[in-house]
Amino acid sequence: MSTSQLVVQHLPYLRRYARALTGSQVAGDAYVAATLETLVNEPETLGRSSNVKADLFRVFTSIWNSLSVNGQSEQVQHDLPAEVRLGQITPLPRQAFLLSCLEGFSEEDAAIILDVDVSEVRDLVDEAGRELAADMATDILIIEDEPLIAMDLEALVEGLGHNVIGVARTRTEAIKIASEGKRPGLILADIQLADGSSGLDAVNDLLKTFEVPVIFITAYPERFLTGERPEPAFLIAKPFQPANVSAVISQALFFQQSARRREAKTA
């Protein structure tokens, strides 16, 4: 398989990482596009190691970290194009956290991607875990038609300190739970539901009355990581690992709380 074919093969996962990193499909995809432009103009930037995926993520990271604003917190870069403006900038610890916990890179590969040594990767992941775990407990609505998966998700999020307000198997059940009970602070949603309905449609119905972060779960993530619009900012692949779910929940809630802090400052 050629290098270009390998890059295409890994693109959906770079999109997933970029969206989780920025909290936005639009911003994440803009950085992925910039990465591809760099590879076209400077093909020698790829191929420095035997791991094409790690190399691809390294090029992305070098672009991300070349913008000084991306190492800061609680700032917006107003002179960037609108699609690249970020409400919250993600510093190095959360990059290490997502590379390890969401994308499953080894410590050695994460060190190559971030241009640090392995011991620093460990320190960064630990730092991010403390940062993201702080004061983020919320109420979660689970939309999942497979009982065993729903039970696993419920146990996992409760183990992280969150409260599950309900588990819905269909679009109708999800709307009923949200309308009759407490409004969720986050939604975990499967895309294909038991009655043939869509988790995407269920979420769109719910977001007409309130706004919360949504994490979609699917066995076919590549179908929803193409760069088309609109697509999920946060996506978990089945079968999922607990660390994947924990990482994405923490990142989604981080952006939500950061937005609320900015709103409070400007109120």
Side-chain angles (χ1 to χ4, degrees), residues 1 19 26 145 204 224:
M1 187 178 294
R19 293 174 187 186
V26 173
D145 65 333
N204 287 334
F224 301 93

Side-chain angles (χ1 to χ4, degrees), residues 79-96:
D79 57 352
L80 289 175
E83 288 194 342
V84 190
R85 291 179 188 170
L86 305 178
Q88 168 62 46
I89 306 304
T90 309
L92 197 59
R94 289 198 300 283
Q95 293 179 60

Side-chain angles (χ1 to χ4, degrees), residues 28-263:
D29 286 352
Y31 277 101
V32 171
T35 301
L36 295 178
E37 289 174 8
T38 298
L39 294 180
V40 169
N41 295 324
E42 303 173 39
E44 69 278 4
T45 58
L46 202 64
R48 296 183 184 176
S49 75
S50 59
N51 188 332
V52 173
K53 183 178 180 182
D55 252 1
L56 178 63
F57 276 69
R58 178 186 53 76
V59 175
F60 171 93
T61 299
S62 68
I63 294 170
W64 173 268
N65 288 331
S66 69
L67 298 175
S68 61
V69 67
N70 288 345
Q72 303 170 27
S73 182
E74 299 294 344
Q75 293 188 24
V76 179
Q77 181 76 338
H78 293 289
D79 57 352
L80 289 175
E83 288 194 342
V84 190
R85 291 179 188 170
L86 305 178
Q88 168 62 46
I89 306 304
T90 309
L92 197 59
R94 289 198 300 283
Q95 293 179 60
F97 183 78
L98 290 173
L99 288 169
S100 300
C101 298
L102 176 61
E103 298 303 330
F105 281 106
S106 67
E107 290 179 339
E108 291 74 16
D109 282 340
I112 291 171
I113 292 167
L114 296 175
D115 194 25
V116 299
D117 58 38
V118 170
S119 62
E120 187 171 352
V121 168
R122 294 172 186 156
D123 291 341
L124 289 168
V125 171
D126 288 343
E127 181 182 342
R130 290 191 297 271
E131 175 186 344
L132 291 170
D135 192 29
M136 285 195 180
T138 192
D139 295 311
I140 294 180
L141 170 63
I142 296 174
I143 307 174
E144 169 60 63
D145 65 333
E146 292 287 344
L148 291 178
I149 295 177
M151 289 174 60
D152 285 345
L153 285 172
E154 187 170 9
L156 176 57
V157 299
E158 288 180 344
L160 294 172
H162 304 295
N163 174 54
V164 176
I165 63 170
V167 177
R169 297 180 66 250
T170 66
R171 177 181 181 180
T172 302
E173 287 179 10
I175 295 169
K176 182 178 180 182
I177 291 171
S179 62
E180 293 181 350
K182 189 174 182 181
R183 180 176 295 180
L186 181 140
I187 298 172
L188 285 174
D190 191 4
I191 290 179
Q192 299 297 329
L193 301 179
D195 61 349
S197 62
S198 165
L200 288 166
D201 291 337
V203 166
N204 287 334
D205 286 342
L206 295 173
L207 295 184
K208 290 176 183 176
T209 56
F210 58 85
E211 185 175 346
V212 294
V214 181
I215 300 171
F216 287 100
I217 303 173
T218 176
Y220 306 101
E222 64 278 0
R223 296 180 184 176
F224 301 93
L225 292 166
T226 64
E228 300 295 326
R229 299 182 190 174
E231 288 178 339
F234 299 104
L235 192 68
I236 294 173
K238 291 181 178 178
F240 54 78
Q241 297 296 321
N244 299 153
V245 180
S246 175
V248 179
I249 287 177
S250 296
Q251 190 73 344
L253 292 176
F254 179 87
F255 280 106
Q256 178 77 353
Q257 289 201 357
S258 296
R260 288 174 179 170
R261 285 196 297 269
R262 289 194 302 276
E263 290 172 358

